[in-house]
Amino acid sequence: MFAPISIMTDMSKEMVLLIYFFIGIGFGFFLERGGLGNSKVMALQFYFRNMTVFKVMFTAIITGMTGLILLNAVGWLDLGSIYMNKSFLWPGIVGGLVMGVGFAVGGYCPGTSIVGLSTLKMDALFYILGSLFGMFIFGETVPYFEKFFKSGLMADNGTITIQKYFGMSSGLVAFIVIIIALLGFWGSEKVEKYFRDKETKNEIV
Amino acid sequence: MKKNIYSNPYLAGVGLGIVMLLAFTIIGTGLGASGAMMRTVVAVEKVVSQEHVDNNFYLAKYGGGDKNPLDFWLIFAILGTFAGGLISGALSGRLKKETNKGPRISIKKRWVFAFIGGALFGIGTKLARGCTSSVALCGGATLDLGSWIIMLCIFAGAYMTAYFVRKLWI
């Protein structure tokens, strides 16, 4: 077992921050490469015209997931020591739905809006200002609904994995996720082709 | 031929997945963007009134007492994210001041809706304790049940809204 390296080796705080800066660079770089710094690319996901968001996201998820499971299986990584945010079911569901509305209206999510701004997208700037405003409103009002905010804790220690909840092996869950992703990729290509053909037809007529 | 200036999305996704895996193996946490934004908000509030921050359980968690809300790795990750986007955009000649929008809406209106959408996302992400990066990507890869539920809710919310705001995009 040698990972997470920072925990195993008592890495200095400055070193951790520096590494995070570089990891951030990789994150922003590939988001921009994939086209997720462009709100139009993002939003057209929700009209099935451009499935880039789904493709990038699910390729990343299955890559990360497979890597984690393999590293854990060969005993190099302790999955249990990876930090996860605690899951609270009810605010999670409501918050997720509200995020979805904001996504369709604003065309960005926080990470991609930073990438949008870095390539001079002016709509990303307004999105970020809006996000900061929304977070300010949340911070100011959350004491009034503290009980709801802390409702529905999903496990005693705060988080639970899919495999643990359903009593399956992580390999099986990963296999199912990969199958769903592959079917999703196949469907994405089909539906994009459908709208492309429709557009060309309209141009001819 | 449709001009596609961006990289193959599957390749970009593998790249993202490897970056995420590096974060997990080196530091032992995922990545996030909304946390850094919230910390920026609290930092400003702290300058205005320390007492106000101390008296709010949520704000105090970030900036109560001697705590500096900006002294946190998420801030460095988001600075890196900005730099990474800039590098990729510069390499591909995509650094161009513009506003992306649908054909049926003015630039000014797009800005207004970008602000509104951002505000909603900002509220939602704090309510759910994570955004698309931390919950959907990193929570997704770690097969965290709560994260998968939130991820599905994000997509459900967006698809349910899309029809009503179609004039913004198509």
Side-chain angles (χ1 to χ4, degrees):
Chain A
M1 190 88 49
F2 71 82
I5 296 168
S6 67
I7 297 171
M8 307 289 160
T9 58
D10 279 331
M11 202 179 269
S12 76
K13 192 185 155 199
E14 287 74 22
M15 190 65 191
V16 171
L17 294 181
L18 187 68
I19 290 172
Y20 253 113
F21 179 71
F22 282 104
I23 284 173
I25 289 182
F27 192 58
F29 184 87
F30 286 110
L31 283 177
E32 207 287 331
R33 289 275 99 174
L36 301 192
N38 182 331
S39 59
K40 187 95 194 272
V41 172
M42 302 273 283
L44 288 185
Q45 167 74 41
F46 306 120
Y47 302 92
F48 297 104
R49 258 86 160 170
N50 185 329
M51 301 296 285
T52 302
V53 172
F54 176 81
K55 291 182 202 169
V56 172
M57 205 169 124
F58 269 79
T59 316
I61 288 176
I62 56 178
T63 306
M65 173 189 75
T66 310
L68 282 176
I69 288 175
L70 291 178
L71 288 175
N72 188 56
V74 294
W76 287 4
L77 173 77
D78 176 18
L79 271 187
S81 58
I82 286 182
Y83 174 80
M84 293 300 304
N85 278 342
K86 283 187 179 168
S87 301
F88 293 82
L89 186 61
W90 306 118
I93 289 175
V94 176
L97 290 170
V98 174
M99 274 190 268
V101 177
F103 206 156
V105 173
Y108 279 114
C109 58
T112 53
S113 69
I114 298 293
V115 175
L117 182 67
S118 78
T119 56
L120 307 176
K121 311 281 190 192
M122 288 301 111
D123 47 333
L125 176 63
F126 284 92
Y127 182 94
I128 292 170
L129 294 174
S131 305
L132 296 172
F133 177 71
M135 289 178 193
F136 168 72
I137 297 292
F138 179 86
E140 290 304 311
T141 54
V142 65
Y144 301 104
F145 53 89
E146 188 177 350
K147 213 174 147 199
F148 175 72
F149 182 59
K150 294 177 174 170
S151 64
L153 187 64
M154 287 182 64
D156 293 335
N157 63 348
T159 57
I160 187 161
T161 58
I162 298 175
Q163 54 269 32
K164 210 165 172 192
Y165 187 84
F166 292 105
M168 306 195 291
S169 73
S170 54
L172 180 62
V173 177
F175 180 73
I176 295 170
V177 170
I178 291 172
I179 295 294
I180 292 172
L182 291 177
L183 285 173
F185 296 151
W186 178 78
S188 297
E189 299 300 334
K190 285 269 171 210
V191 75
E192 279 180 350
K193 187 176 181 303
Y194 169 79
F195 280 109
R196 255 200 321 271
D197 290 350
K198 211 171 135 187
E199 233 166 65
T200 355
K201 224 164 147 190
N202 285 345
E203 274 162 25
I204 294 165
V205 176
Chain B
M1 274 295 282
K2 197 182 151 202
K3 204 173 130 205
N4 187 1
I5 50 171
Y6 291 112
S7 304
N8 180 310
Y10 300 111
L11 283 180
V14 171
L16 267 188
I18 291 171
V19 170
M20 191 159 60
L21 205 51
L22 283 174
F24 286 139
T25 42
I26 300 175
I27 322 261
T29 68
L31 279 158
S34 54
M37 289 180 167
M38 187 70 222
R39 283 171 181 277
T40 310
V41 171
V42 179
V44 174
E45 291 195 59
K46 203 176 149 93
V47 172
V48 176
S49 168
Q50 177 67 52
E51 200 192 339
H52 180 71
V53 172
D54 287 339
N55 288 335
N56 177 319
F57 83 93
Y58 189 76
L59 302 178
K61 196 177 63 183
Y62 294 105
D66 298 335
K67 279 189 210 162
N68 174 5
L70 297 180
D71 183 22
F72 198 67
W73 60 265
L74 276 171
I75 301 288
F76 289 79
I78 210 168
L79 292 174
T81 304
F82 185 90
L86 183 65
I87 293 167
S88 169
L91 286 176
S92 306
R94 279 194 288 266
L95 298 185
K96 195 179 131 219
K97 195 172 160 186
E98 63 175 355
T99 291
N100 300 114
K101 60 180 193 63
R104 294 195 282 167
I105 180 178
S106 71
I107 288 180
K108 289 247 165 67
K109 261 196 192 142
R110 164 73 188 119
W111 289 352
V112 171
F113 280 103
F115 187 91
I116 295 171
L120 287 170
F121 206 113
I123 293 169
T125 189
K126 290 297 110 191
L127 192 54
R129 297 173 171 79
C131 63
T132 340
S133 328
S134 52
V135 167
L137 271 184
C138 299
T142 51
L143 296 175
D144 175 57
L145 180 62
S147 299
W148 275 82
I149 293 171
I150 295 171
M151 185 209 303
L152 293 177
C153 287
I154 295 175
F155 275 98
Y159 275 103
M160 286 190 298
T161 312
Y163 176 79
F164 302 101
V165 296
R166 62 192 183 283
K167 274 194 177 156
L168 300 179
W169 302 111
I170 55 173

